[in-house]
Every structure is written in structure tokens, then in C-alpha cells.
DNA sequence: CGATAAATTGAGACCTTTCAAATGGGGTGG
DNA sequence: CCACCCCATTTGAAAGGTCTCAATTTATCG
């Protein structure tokens, strides 16, 4: 096992994972070809390229950073699934949101010096790394990109608002419907899969922690939903997801988000 | 009764409330004197002044904007309490966060064209109004202010993350402790009152909707907390709030936020 | 093919909710 | 200044959704 592999499988890192200089060039970023991401000037893409200090790989189940740490980096997810979370002193955990490719993470940590939440990988994760210190430079040199950063922040907040509505006011059945609906919708938009076949690396414990439920009750509720044929779950993949009915179950009226910037 | 008074007491406005041109000048804004707000260059303050198109007053219990509307404005709260909320088709409501003086609201609505949440006044509200269309100009002309906008957005998200942790993983007793703690801390920082005496315009139904509880259970839980002498509540004011013990009850370890920008 | 983690299933306890109804406070009209 | 009304707060009692504890079965991984 080489050094790099060690850093990839490290679940409890004393230091941060090594940055790999060999990296995809922003102009060729496969994400940028997706239509969920709005077009961007060549000049801006080139500027973003100058900010990119490399890439980091984190193994499935690995920790990117913990609550209270001061991560030196800001990342955009290139591929893989992850989640942001907070915990209580006795260990109870709340998953704040699921992070997918194209999502910008670490903004709060950047602004507050101390991350108010942790970030953990669900699958192997490939992250684009930006140096922490240069964020303000971005705003100065390219106001449009600064505006985009704000946009992405507002979008993330809107997603959390939705989750808060679920956790606070929806029943377990409704919450779960809403979560599956949103996740599959996002996955489809990102080309990760289809409603008929979508990779789903979350464990029932993750779902429970995201919805404020116990793992056991999550299990029973998923059973209900499957029996109702709202989706099927085999191994780590979701099949035959009935988006329209999930939407109705959850009381969701707007389908979701439009295009967004990619930084 | 004049036209202005009518617009103030309108609870169900077909149009938006009238903008009052007579307004406090930003340089003399009383909020700016508080030490929670970071110092700002005279030049920037003057620029913000040029963005300010007036002020709006909303009566207690009045609606500022609803879910799905397209508010033409962006506001900073000058005085008063309000809350952001979302609802489900059958009327269940989740309060997302409590809005206090200095908070910037409507950013999401601005970015998404359609507000994903509503905003309602708890007390009489005085809002500083910025025109919707000029937000990007701000980023271009004053990158530092754009950066501040992002900061405020990230701060709000961090607050919602905390609430999500409460609603998802804290017991009713813990959630309520956390809520009172945060609200009183914020109120003290803003000079709205002290731990010994703080105005508290929320109804138990509001608290219930913010914490995902029923109003009845909220009532019983508040009774417990009062019996434990963590605070007293007479009319619309909170007295003798025991911040340290509330913090411990809620499992909160960091006291909160530092200074922040005022826009 | 063991070893460990995840998913299930059963059963009873418990926190919260719902349904009902009483009490209290504040505002309004007389 | 008082009667009356509406809304928020309380309190009681029972139903119910979720949780915890335990144990079993089924995947996953080296």
C-alpha cells in the first residue's frame, strides 16, 4: 500500500489528505458538459482554473473534515456522494444535507474559521480543491463568480429549508418520500442514473439521521413505501422510482431547481 | 385613517406595502453603532445608501411576502421581529428561522425568482428596502459588499443547520432550551434586552411550528422549563433567563456568532 | 468462508399528538 | 368602566407514532 492509498482509506486523519496535482482541467471538466450547469465564459473558466490547487480523493466512509476543525480548503465535488452533519455531545447525529457532484462545500467553514459541521464521504469521493485564502480575491477579480458563490449558498440553504420542513412537519412516510424524490431528481439531473435505476449509497442509518428518525422506524417505513411500490431497493441501487407518486405523498408541488453555476 | 396606516395594518395585501421615502440615512443607522456589526468604510456605507430605495413598515402579524410570490425587494430588518416559514399543502407550517434586526432577507427569493418561503412579521416591522434588480451591480461595484452578502447567507444557513439539529435530534426539552438560548443571545447582542428582561413576541404556536412540536406539548414543555427555573415568562417578556444552564440542557458548546457585516 | 455491518422483525415503553374543555388576558363596543 | 368576545394558554385523558431493547436474518468484504 502506497502513501496515497493510505491517505485514501484513512478514516481518522490527523492531517488532511494529500492533494494530487494531476487533475482534470476545468475547461474539460465533464460536469461542465451537463445542462444543469449554466454556461460560463471561457475567461471565467480559465480564472477558476488558476484557483484550483489540485484534487483530493477520499475513500468511501472517509472523513473529509470534522466539526470544529479549520479546513484550509474549499471544495467542489467532482464525483461521488458525501454528507454534511452535526452532532450532539452524546453522539446523536443529524445529517444536514447530501452532497453530490457540482456542489460547493466548505463555504461556511471558510467564512467562520471553524467548521460548524463535518463532512463525510459516502462513496469514494473526488474533490476539486481551492485554496482557502483566495476566496475574497475571487470576488474582487470576478464579481460574477462571487455572485455565483452566493447563488450556490442560497440554493443549499433552500434545500435545507426543505429538509427542515420534512423533519419538523412531515410524517416518517412523507419525509422519506420527499427525500427519495429529491435525491433521485438530483441524481437524474446529474446523469448519475435514471428513475428506473439509480445508485444509492446511503445506509438506512444515514437516512434515519437525515430525517430525525430511528434506524428501525426508517426500516419499517421503507418497507411500507416499497410495498406501496413507490420504489424498489436492491443492494445499493434504487429501481423503478415512481417520482410523481412520491411527490404527491410528500406534498411537494414544485419539481426543484433549474440550472445553476459550477465553480 | 390615512393611506399609510391602511398599508401598515393590511394582513392580506394584494400588492406590496408602500415604500416610505423618508428614511434613516445609512451612515446614521442606529444598528451600525452596535458592536455586533463590523465597521465599514464610509465609502461603502455611502454606496449602500445609494441602493436603499426607502423603507417599508409592516404591522405586527402582517405578511411581508408569501411562498411562491416574487418579491421585488430585498430587505434588511431595521427593527422588529419576523419569521421565515414554509407550509405543506394541508396547512402544516414549519418556521425556518426567526429574523431580527440586521438580518438580510429575501436573498433566496431574489436569486430564485420565486420565494421558496414566506416572511411574516411578529411585531411591527421596519424594513430597509433595496431594489431587486441591482444585486449584481453590488458585486461588481463593491466586491467587499458582495462578499458580505455571501457571509450573511452562510451565517443564516449555519443557524438553520442548528435548528435542523434541534428538530431532528433533540428532545422537546432540549430543543426549547436551544431555541431560547439562541434567541436571547441574539437579542442581547442586538441590545434588544438582557437575559434578565427580554421582549419575546412569539406565541407558543410559533415556537411549536419552529421546533416541529404540537402547541400543546410546547406548552407543557415550557412549563417544565419554567418550573426548573431556566426562565420566567410574563406576558410578552422573558425574564431571568439562565443562559448557562440552557446551554447545558441543549448540549450547546459554542456560544454563537461573532461580529458580522451590516448591509 | 468466517467476520462484521446492515437490514429485519417482535414487543413493550415512551414521548408527542389529538381531542376536549376550561381558564385567562386583552381589546372592543356600549 | 363593564360586558363580551376572541385568542392564547392550560390542563386532562387517551390514542398513536416512534423509540428502545433484543434477537434473527441477510449482505458485504477480505
Amino acid at each position: 500500500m502506497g502513501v496515497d492509498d493510505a491517505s485514501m482509506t484513512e478514516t481518522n486523519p490527523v492531517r488532511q489528505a494529500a492533494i494530487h496535482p494531476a487533475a482534470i482541467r476545468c475547461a474539460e471538466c465533464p460536469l461542465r458538459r451537463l445542462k444543469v450547469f449554466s454556461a460560463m465564459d471561457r475567461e471565467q473558466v480559465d480564472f477558476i482554473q488558476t484557483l484550483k490547487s489540485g484534487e483530493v480523493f477520499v475513500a468511501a466512509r472517509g472523513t473529509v473534515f470534522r466539526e470544529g476543525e479549520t479546513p484550509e480548503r474549499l471544495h467542489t465535488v467532482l464525483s461521488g456522494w458525501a454528507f454534511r452533519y452535526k452532532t450532539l455531545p452524546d453522539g446523536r447525529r443529524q445529517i444536514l444535507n447530501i452532497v453530490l457532484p457540482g456542489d460547493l462545500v466548505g463555504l461556511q467553514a471558510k467564512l467562520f474559521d471553524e467548521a460548524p459541521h463535518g463532512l463525510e464521504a459516502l462513496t469514494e469521493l473526488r474533490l476539486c480543491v481551492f485554496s482557502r485564502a483566495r476566496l475574497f480575491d475571487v470576488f474582487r477579480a470576478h464579481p460574477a463568480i462571487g455572485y455565483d458563490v452566493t447563488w450556490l449558498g442560497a440554493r443549499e440553504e433552500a434545500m435545507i429549508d426543505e429538509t427542515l420542513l420534512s423533519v419538523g412537519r412531515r410524517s416518517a412516510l412523507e419525509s422519506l418520500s420527499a427525500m427519495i424524490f429529491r435525491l433521485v431528481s438530483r441524481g437524474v439531473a446529474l446523469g448519475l442514473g435514471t428513475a428506473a435505476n439509480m445508485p444509492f449509497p446511503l445506509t438506512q442509518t444515514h437516512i434515519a439521521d437525515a430525517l430525525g428518525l430511528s434506524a428501525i422506524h426508517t426500516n419499517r417505513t421503507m418497507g411500507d413505501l416499497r410495498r406501496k411500490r413507490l420504489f424498489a431497493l436492491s443492494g445499493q441501487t434504487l429501481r423503478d422510482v415512481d417520482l410523481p407518486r412520491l411527490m404527491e405523498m410528500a406534498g411537494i408541488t414544485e419539481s426543484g431547481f433549474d440550472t445553476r453555476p459550477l465553480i
Side-chain angles (χ1 to χ4, degrees), chain A residues 17 26-27 34 67 70 88 101 127 156 158 160 178 222 226 254:
Chain A
C26 296
L34 296 169
E67 294 171 272
T70 306
L88 287 172
L127 300 167
E156 182 169 294
I160 298 166
M222 290 201 70
R226 284 194 278 189
E254 3 72 52

Side-chain angles (χ1 to χ4, degrees), chain A residues 61-91:
Chain A
R61 301 313 182 86
T63 299
V64 183
F65 58 80
R66 289 196 164 68
E67 294 171 272
E69 281 183 13
T70 306
E72 291 302 312
R73 306 159 182 166
L74 203 58
H75 324 83
T76 288
V77 177
L78 287 174
S79 68
W81 296 48
F83 63 89
R84 295 195 312 122
Y85 67 90
K86 284 176 82 80
T87 58
L88 287 172
D90 67 2

